[in-house]
Amino acid sequence: MSDTSRHLYDLCCQLDPYNLSFDDIREWLDNNEGNEDLLKQAANYHEEKNRTALFCLVVKKPPSELVHRFVNLAPDKVKVQDKYGQLPLHVVLSGKASSDAITMLLQEYPEALKVRVCVIGIPFYITLLHFVPYNNINLTHSFHYYFHLISQ
């Protein structure tokens, strides 16, 4: 992969946690809008731990429109596990992202609920109680709905 396609990954991973601004990422995506190959290469770029730009993005509480753009560019990346067995859905929950972003990843890959996380070795849906706020009825309903679908 070229340095140009790695640039999006770097932008996502280097977001300042104390001054989150997604403007540089939006600008890079907008400036390269006419170059579909580069956008797809950049969205599919991964480093040695198998982390993608999507991984770096979702841990920073991104706007759901950015998650949507990344998923549209590289839909298979929602299924990629890092070296610890985590999927982007697992990471987005630990980052306390918007319920829209979580639901989007869940809709794209509902089977993520069954994936075992290497660190703890149990299906992911069991760990949801630690991350899903009790007052988020829509998100809780989504998890139950998708788990029911994949359990049949």
Side-chain angles (χ1 to χ4, degrees), residues 3-18:
D3 286 344
T4 308
S5 62
R6 181 191 162 96
H7 190 67
L8 180 61
Y9 172 84
D10 290 339
L11 286 173
C12 293
C13 292
Q14 294 169 3
L15 282 169
D16 181 354
Y18 300 106

Side-chain angles (χ1 to χ4, degrees), residues 96-117:
K96 313 235 185 313
S98 73
S99 59
D100 289 343
I102 294 167
T103 301
M104 192 178 316
L105 293 174
L106 188 57
Q107 287 173 337
E108 193 66 34
Y109 186 46
E111 292 83 7
L113 293 175
K114 287 186 172 180
V115 172
R116 292 183 181 270
V117 179

Side-chain angles (χ1 to χ4, degrees), residues 2 4-5 8 28-43 69 73:
S2 71
T4 308
S5 62
L8 180 61
W28 191 91
L29 289 168
D30 292 343
N31 288 343
N32 291 291
E33 197 167 26
N35 191 343
E36 193 72 18
D37 290 339
L38 175 62
L39 289 172
K40 287 185 179 192
Q41 265 187 342
R69 288 176 85 173
L73 288 169

Side-chain angles (χ1 to χ4, degrees), residues 28-115:
W28 191 91
L29 289 168
D30 292 343
N31 288 343
N32 291 291
E33 197 167 26
N35 191 343
E36 193 72 18
D37 290 339
L38 175 62
L39 289 172
K40 287 185 179 192
Q41 265 187 342
N44 282 290
Y45 175 85
H46 60 89
E47 46 81 81
E48 64 275 357
K49 293 180 185 173
N50 218 26
R51 291 234 163 176
T52 63
L54 180 60
F55 268 101
C56 293
L57 180 71
V58 296
V59 78
K60 309 288 179 141
K61 303 178 192 172
S64 55
E65 53 94 6
L66 275 180
V67 175
H68 182 70
R69 288 176 85 173
F70 277 62
V71 170
N72 281 341
L73 288 169
D76 289 341
K77 292 303 170 187
V78 301
K79 300 175 184 177
V80 173
Q81 292 176 271
D82 68 5
K83 77 175 199 172
Y84 305 107
Q86 295 183 102
L87 293 163
L89 180 63
H90 305 148
V91 176
V92 78
L93 285 169
S94 65
K96 313 235 185 313
S98 73
S99 59
D100 289 343
I102 294 167
T103 301
M104 192 178 316
L105 293 174
L106 188 57
Q107 287 173 337
E108 193 66 34
Y109 186 46
E111 292 83 7
L113 293 175
K114 287 186 172 180
V115 172

